[in-house]
Amino acid sequence: GIDQTAAEIAIAKKRFAIEGRVEFYEMDAFDMAAVIKLQRQIGRRFNKVLIDINGSRDIGTVHKCLDKLQKTLMPDLFIVKSVQIKTLVLQTSPW
């Protein structure tokens, strides 16, 4: 996991860290050079990307981040938690 705040990383490590499987790092997810460097240091592919935006970023910014991560990492799965995306989905109707 990646977050810009040390406090959030500490909470995540305490709740979810599994050595060698689920790890957390303090950095900016928009810094693709740093993300690539981290992936190389770890020595394995990031195949799942979970993003918890929770309303702190607008949808356009989230899309830019997802696009960069997709092109850089080519993960098998994205999961995005976002209040704005949830609101948008709830306002739509299936065909």
Side-chain angles (χ1 to χ4, degrees), residues 38-49:
L38 176 62
Q39 184 171 253
R40 287 185 182 141
Q41 287 173 344
I42 292 171
R44 64 183 185 274
R45 183 173 158 258
F46 296 153
N47 57 355
K48 312 280 188 298
V49 177

Side-chain angles (χ1 to χ4, degrees), residues 57-90:
R57 303 271 182 142
D58 66 59
I59 292 173
T61 303
V62 173
H63 179 263
K64 287 178 188 174
C65 182
L66 291 172
D67 187 52
K68 287 182 178 184
L69 290 169
Q70 175 62 37
K71 290 175 181 172
T72 303
L73 304 176
M74 295 182 285
D76 299 329
L77 175 70
F78 275 111
I79 297 174
V80 180
K81 179 184 170 219
S82 168
V83 172
Q84 290 181 337
I85 292 174
K86 177 184 174 187
T87 301
L88 180 66
V89 168
L90 291 174

